Amino acid sequence: MTSAAPRSRVAVLTALRHSGELTQVEIGAATGLTAGTVSTVVSGLIDDRLVRVRDVVRTGRRARAVTLIGPGGPLVGVHCYLDEARVLLDPGDGRAVVEAVEVLPDGHRADVAVDAARSLAAGLLAEQDLDPADVLQVAVGVPAPVEVRTGRVGGAGVRDGWGPVVAQPELFAPAPVVFDNEGNLSALAEARQGAGRGRSTVVQVSISQGVSGGIVHDGELVHGRTGTAGELGHLTIDPLGPVCSCGNRGCLQVYAGSAAVTSLLAASHGPMTLAEVLDRAAQGDPGCRRVLSDVGRHLGTAMASVCTVLDPDVLVVGGALSRAGDLLLDPLREVLAERTAVTSGAVVDVVAGELGASAPAWGALLLARDTALAGMLAG
Ligand SMILES: [Zn+2]
């Protein structure tokens, strides 16, 4: 491919990065380019094997759908979390993305998660008969805030142990590696190819063992000044509440994480896993339903402020608790209706995430693709 990247080519690739697949007419609408220019750029991208084109029918008319397949080599997306490591491999040659996951012990150290991810990635590469040396880019989502400009872990004390791990650029050598907060990556995936698809401003909050979040505007993550924008788990619900892992008191995470849910039920129901709470709530258990409703209301208290500031198109709720569906989301919607109507006029659309536990790994794969494409375009 040419080393220079004409502006129209970058514009078409950007539209495709955000949407995955668009018709040529949709690319024209998204970029403001003429049909002729779009056609010329797409032909060049086909020659460079960055896109694939197929004939489709849209609103009764024949159209050419353009799918981004580049940058033409294997990409790896990794999610290191508090209870598992998950890896997605895109072979980069038209074969489907493959996935592997390993459950991790409670309270494991950061390097345990990364070692697990490395062996999962090696296993997937071997299974697909790919050489690790050919991997173009690895991206890793970590349960800690990452300063995008410096690549360092921010917010000292939020997650001990992740700083030294993120500081090792040779972690997946010889492939280059980039890191971001896993809540950000989950939001990126839901915004581009999940429940927020086609919407302009997407706020995503994930409730699992921890509470994380991310903000995406027009297909790109909002990182803020240092990279910690969207750390929604540390919004204050009660300044006199229990102390959080970040050192503040009464953060959303203290009231909405899975430990909060199970501990509230310990006296009445005995020890339960989160999955058991969700199952019994679905079967009608009033105590389990009440706890999920309370989480939804706490979430509403925190998200009302976020929605007042950002006025997003959609609020996506992901993570393990999102399986509760409307048992969680209806109380959230009620609080948002009470507290945001004055400022935004209409209550924000609240939906459950579509990508499940794989959302952060899908976001990591998208970040790997973005990074590799940016490297190619920079020549
Ligand atoms: Zn906190």
Side-chain angles (χ1 to χ4, degrees), residues 234 244 246 251:
H234 300 286
C244 174
C246 72
C251 293

Side-chain angles (χ1 to χ4, degrees), residues 174-270:
V177 58
V178 287
F179 294 88
D180 202 339
N181 171 259
E182 57 98 23
N184 281 347
L185 295 179
S186 188
L188 186 67
E190 289 288 357
R192 288 195 190 169
Q193 56 188 39
R197 200 171 43 242
R199 314 296 284 273
S200 178
T201 303
V202 179
V203 172
Q204 207 245 5
V205 60
S206 281
I207 315 176
S208 294
Q209 217 167 322
V211 177
S212 60
I215 301 160
V216 177
H217 182 66
D218 287 347
E220 302 289 347
L221 273 167
V222 176
H223 280 107
R225 182 174 56 87
T226 64
T228 60
E231 275 288 340
L232 305 179
H234 300 286
L235 287 168
T236 305
I237 299 291
D238 178 0
L240 299 178
V243 174
C244 174
S245 61
C246 72
N248 291 322
R249 292 182 66 170
C251 293
L252 174 62
Q253 184 164 288
V254 174
Y255 295 97
S258 59
V261 171
T262 50
S263 67
L264 278 171
L265 289 160
S268 58
H269 290 61

Side-chain angles (χ1 to χ4, degrees), residues 73-238:
L75 298 169
V76 176
V78 174
H79 180 211
C80 291
Y81 195 55
L82 307 176
D83 56 2
E84 66 172 38
R86 190 177 290 260
V87 176
L88 292 177
L89 166 67
D90 180 350
D93 54 10
R95 284 183 287 169
V97 171
V98 288
E99 180 168 17
V101 61
E102 181 177 330
V103 175
L104 298 174
D106 263 354
H108 65 81
R109 289 173 9 172
D111 52 357
V112 170
V114 173
D115 284 347
R118 283 206 301 219
S119 68
L120 289 173
L124 287 175
L125 285 163
E127 186 186 300
Q128 298 293 308
D129 209 14
L130 293 167
D131 186 341
D134 292 335
V135 173
L136 296 178
Q137 183 70 53
V138 178
V140 182
V142 298
V146 177
E147 294 182 350
V148 281
R149 282 178 310 156
T150 61
R152 289 195 298 258
V153 167
V158 173
R159 296 274 177 231
D160 285 339
W162 283 101
V165 167
V166 173
Q168 291 178 56
E170 71 282 7
L171 214 55
F172 286 81
V177 58
V178 287
F179 294 88
D180 202 339
N181 171 259
E182 57 98 23
N184 281 347
L185 295 179
S186 188
L188 186 67
E190 289 288 357
R192 288 195 190 169
Q193 56 188 39
R197 200 171 43 242
R199 314 296 284 273
S200 178
T201 303
V202 179
V203 172
Q204 207 245 5
V205 60
S206 281
I207 315 176
S208 294
Q209 217 167 322
V211 177
S212 60
I215 301 160
V216 177
H217 182 66
D218 287 347
E220 302 289 347
L221 273 167
V222 176
H223 280 107
R225 182 174 56 87
T226 64
T228 60
E231 275 288 340
L232 305 179
H234 300 286
L235 287 168
T236 305
I237 299 291
D238 178 0

Side-chain angles (χ1 to χ4, degrees), residues 304 307-308 311 335-348:
C307 291
T308 301
D311 195 15
V335 176
L336 289 175
E338 288 163 14
R339 302 195 188 176
T340 62
V342 175
T343 45
S344 58
V347 178
V348 63

